[in-house]
Amino acid sequence: MEIYPTGYQRYDEDAPEDLKKPAFLVSVTNQDYSKRMNTKYKSVVSFDVAYFSDQGAAEIKRDCLQKQEDLFRAFDFVGTFKTRNKNSSITNQVLHLTFDVSYSEMIIKTGVPMQTKTVNTNTNI
């Protein structure tokens, strides 16, 4: 499900200097990774979804508060992962919605070196 399918720019991890508003910037801000038993691991990935409004100075806060409400309601899951610790703030006229996603994994050793895994920041905004 996409919350805002058209008219909004979406950026992953890095926003260009000439950011076109309205826009969302999705960033991974932290990741905790710990070993459990044998080859099992647990991870918590923290995300920050920043919203840059295209409204005039007098309307930015209202626009950000509306997007905050929409995002809080829509971000119960990212894909099949349940979100936790949802928080938001408006700083320097930018809305920041932060949340965590936790997952577990088991690495099966086959004699092949472990490969690098990429974190997908596609949140379907």
Side-chain angles (χ1 to χ4, degrees), residues 4-68:
Y4 301 106
T6 59
Y8 292 83
Q9 297 295 317
R10 296 177 205 138
Y11 302 98
D12 290 337
E13 297 300 332
D14 204 15
E17 284 187 31
D18 63 339
L19 178 128
K20 293 178 178 45
K21 298 177 183 177
F24 290 96
L25 171 64
V26 180
S27 303
V28 174
T29 58
N30 190 41
Q31 182 173 9
D32 293 325
Y33 194 78
S34 59
K35 185 168 177 55
R36 295 169 71 192
M37 294 179 66
N38 297 325
T39 59
K40 295 180 182 176
Y41 297 84
K42 181 178 181 181
S43 183
V44 177
V45 182
S46 300
F47 290 90
D48 178 5
V49 176
Y51 170 67
F52 300 86
S53 178
D54 65 341
Q55 301 296 308
E59 295 295 317
I60 286 179
K61 186 166 186 175
R62 182 190 59 75
D63 186 36
C64 286
L65 290 173
Q66 180 60 54
K67 297 302 182 284
Q68 171 185 296

Side-chain angles (χ1 to χ4, degrees), residues 50-96:
Y51 170 67
F52 300 86
S53 178
D54 65 341
Q55 301 296 308
E59 295 295 317
I60 286 179
K61 186 166 186 175
R62 182 190 59 75
D63 186 36
C64 286
L65 290 173
Q66 180 60 54
K67 297 302 182 284
Q68 171 185 296
E69 185 177 303
D70 294 344
L71 293 171
F72 265 136
R73 289 179 178 159
F75 267 85
D76 287 334
F77 290 90
V78 174
T80 58
F81 299 100
K82 183 162 179 46
T83 59
R84 301 179 319 150
N85 304 323
K86 291 189 284 188
N87 290 295
S88 70
S89 64
I90 300 172
T91 307
N92 297 327
Q93 299 183 329
V94 176
L95 169 66
H96 291 272

Side-chain angles (χ1 to χ4, degrees), residues 107-116:
I107 297 175
I108 300 171
K109 297 182 180 183
T110 61
V112 181
M114 191 184 323
Q115 298 179 1
T116 308

